[in-house]
Amino acid sequence: MNIFLAKLGLLIALPIFLAFQADLPRPADAEYNLGTGSQPEIAIDENGTVRIVYGVKNGDHKDLYFVSSNDGGKSFSKPDLLGNFSKMGLGMGRGPQIVTTAEYTVVTVGDHNGDLFSMRLTNADNQWSAPVKVTDTDSTAKEALSGLSAGKGNDVYTVWLDSRLGNNNLYGSLSRDGGLTWEKNQLIYQGEQKGICDCCKPTVSFDQSGSMHVMFRNKLDGARNMYLISSKDNGKHFSTAQKLGTGDFMIDGCPMDGGDLAADENGKVTTVWRRQLEVYIAEPEKPEIKLGAGRTPVILQTGKGPAIAWQKDGAIQFRSPNGQKTVSIGNGQYPKLALMADKKTSLCVFERDGQILVKPIVL
């Protein structure tokens, strides 16, 4: 009888103990596993809402998923299926993009059929619009490599590789209503020698003054160097493209690594990119500075300076905003960074063994 009562007590106590364990707070630096997926992108609005998009291979199709968090990444909503795409670009920088504006969250996705689409979430009521086509030609964006940035109000601008002139060149388009409608596609830069680098993701970023900066990998005289081009009028006119750094990346092929850029409150642009097997940081018209071995660098502008993450030997490296410390935050690839509303913490989302992880990093 005593043994029976003891076992009965254990059976009663175990669910209570497990429930208590489930309610325990997660450590501040704990990773959150979103499950199966690849090429995640992250955006955090001024209220602190975290939003992430990513792709999942599903047989012959690829699914586009969206999750959000209202508690700083400690927990996330159930994944919301936004659409199925037979040839969605996914891998090597290809994948969905996401930004938030004053009223909306905008997601763009490209496919290897050569089209670029956008969807708009109204933040106030969590309602998604139907997909709309961004490209105003058919089948000219087959590399499915694009960048996206939010400007003032509900302005968003996207850039992509486009072959409508016979080779891949740099194109862009502006939306003033959070991605619901798009202006006529614009040629930003035409490569002087049969286009620009064919498989490197272009990036775009607005600064606080409203100026827009676009970085891309060029293809000139056997070199695949990074170039910067800027606009002060939402893409109506662009400056002359300028090479970043002083060295040359001589390679007969595409490194499939587009880098990243950000601007501080004074409009100073900082870029990060790969040359050979090294990662560099550079400002326009200044010599580049080597950060170390690796690839796929990304940058996050903070009040303390730019924080940088990249992949090295299967692990994610994180460089503090003041540049004094670089640490490994664990195994993974394709990191992305976003700044939390408290301005003291960043969230890093990345891939690991076919799973998507989210990890907070105190700045």
Side-chain angles (χ1 to χ4, degrees):
M1 180 65 69
N2 290 338
I3 294 176
F4 173 77
L5 290 176
K7 290 183 176 179
L8 181 61
L10 180 61
L11 290 173
I12 295 172
L14 184 58
I16 297 174
F17 172 75
L18 291 176
F20 173 74
Q21 287 288 91
D23 289 337
L24 287 176
R26 297 168 62 242
D29 61 347
E31 296 176 347
Y32 190 98
N33 191 326
L34 293 178
T36 301
S38 62
Q39 301 294 284
E41 286 280 355
I42 183 171
I44 302 176
D45 67 20
E46 60 182 11
N47 297 318
T49 301
V50 182
R51 297 180 175 91
I52 296 174
V53 287
Y54 57 93
V56 176
K57 294 182 180 179
N58 182 14
D60 295 333
H61 294 268
K62 296 171 185 174
D63 297 333
L64 177 64
Y65 281 97
F66 167 85
V67 296
S68 62
S69 172
N70 293 316
D71 57 11
K74 296 177 183 178
S75 64
F76 282 87
S77 64
K78 181 181 178 181
D80 185 9
L81 178 62
L82 298 186
N84 311 100
F85 297 85
S86 61
K87 293 186 177 181
M88 179 169 67
L90 204 61
M92 304 301 291
R94 299 178 177 93
Q97 308 294 299
I98 185 170
V99 295
T100 58
T101 71
E103 299 176 87
Y104 306 106
T105 296
V106 186
V107 173
T108 57
V109 58
D111 63 34
H112 291 299
N113 291 317
D115 300 314
L116 182 64
F117 298 93
S118 71
M119 285 166 276
R120 185 183 82 174
L121 172 72
T122 304
N123 296 335
D125 59 14
N126 284 320
Q127 295 297 311
W128 285 95
S129 70
V132 298
K133 191 177 172 186
V134 179
T135 42
D136 55 18
T137 57
D138 293 326
S139 304
T140 60
K142 289 188 176 181
E143 286 299 333
L145 287 161
S146 66
L148 183 68
S149 184
K152 295 181 178 180
N154 291 311
D155 288 354
V156 290
Y157 198 90
T158 181
V159 295
W160 68 92
L161 301 186
D162 194 293
S163 63
R164 69 185 69 184
L165 298 180
N167 301 103
N168 274 316
N169 294 288
L170 185 63
Y171 271 75
S173 183
L174 173 71
S175 171
R176 294 188 176 275
D177 55 11
L180 190 63
T181 62
W182 295 85
E183 295 184 357
K184 179 179 174 59
N185 296 175
Q186 180 181 13
L187 175 64
I188 298 174
Y189 179 87
Q190 182 174 1
E192 300 174 24
Q193 298 174 1
K194 297 182 178 180
I196 62 176
C197 197
D198 292 296
C199 304
C200 285
K201 179 182 183 297
T203 52
V204 56
S205 180
F206 282 93
D207 63 29
Q208 291 191 5
S209 72
S211 292
M212 183 173 63
H213 311 280
V214 181
M215 185 174 69
F216 64 98
R217 194 179 292 276
N218 212 342
K219 182 173 64 175
L220 288 172
D221 300 323
R224 304 289 177 111
N225 298 318
M226 304 304 297
Y227 278 68
L228 184 73
I229 193 166
S230 301
S231 173
K232 295 182 178 180
D233 54 11
N234 281 330
K236 293 180 181 178
H237 305 89
F238 279 91
S239 64
T240 301
Q242 58 177 308
K243 177 188 168 186
L244 293 163
T246 59
D248 289 311
F249 190 178
M250 307 302 296
I251 180 175
D252 185 16
C254 181
M256 301 190 77
D257 201 334
D260 200 9
L261 77 162
D264 66 13
E265 60 184 7
N266 298 314
K268 183 180 75 173
V269 176
T270 305
T271 68
V272 289
W273 35 268
R274 168 187 157 209
R275 186 171 69 216
Q276 301 295 351
L277 299 177
E278 305 287 345
V279 171
Y280 293 84
I281 181 172
E283 297 175 23
E285 301 179 351
K286 291 185 179 181
E288 65 273 41
I289 300 171
K290 185 168 68 174
L291 299 180
R295 57 177 299 153
T296 64
V298 291
I299 188 169
L300 173 66
Q301 189 63 51
T302 78
K304 299 178 181 179
I308 302 167
W310 69 93
Q311 174 188 343
K312 175 187 176 185
D313 298 330
I316 304 297
Q317 308 297 306
F318 181 82
R319 182 180 185 264
S320 62
N322 57 20
Q324 296 181 358
K325 183 171 65 174
T326 299
V327 298
S328 173
I329 65 170
N331 292 338
Q333 59 182 351
Y334 297 111
K336 300 294 179 179
L337 296 171
L339 188 63
M340 293 295 296
D342 64 6
K343 310 297 183 183
K344 300 177 181 179
T345 309
S346 68
L347 282 186
C348 182
V349 60
F350 56 95
E351 298 179 25
R352 179 193 293 155
D353 300 327
Q355 304 286 299
I356 295 179
L357 284 300
V358 184
K359 185 178 179 66
I361 306 173
V362 177
L363 299 173

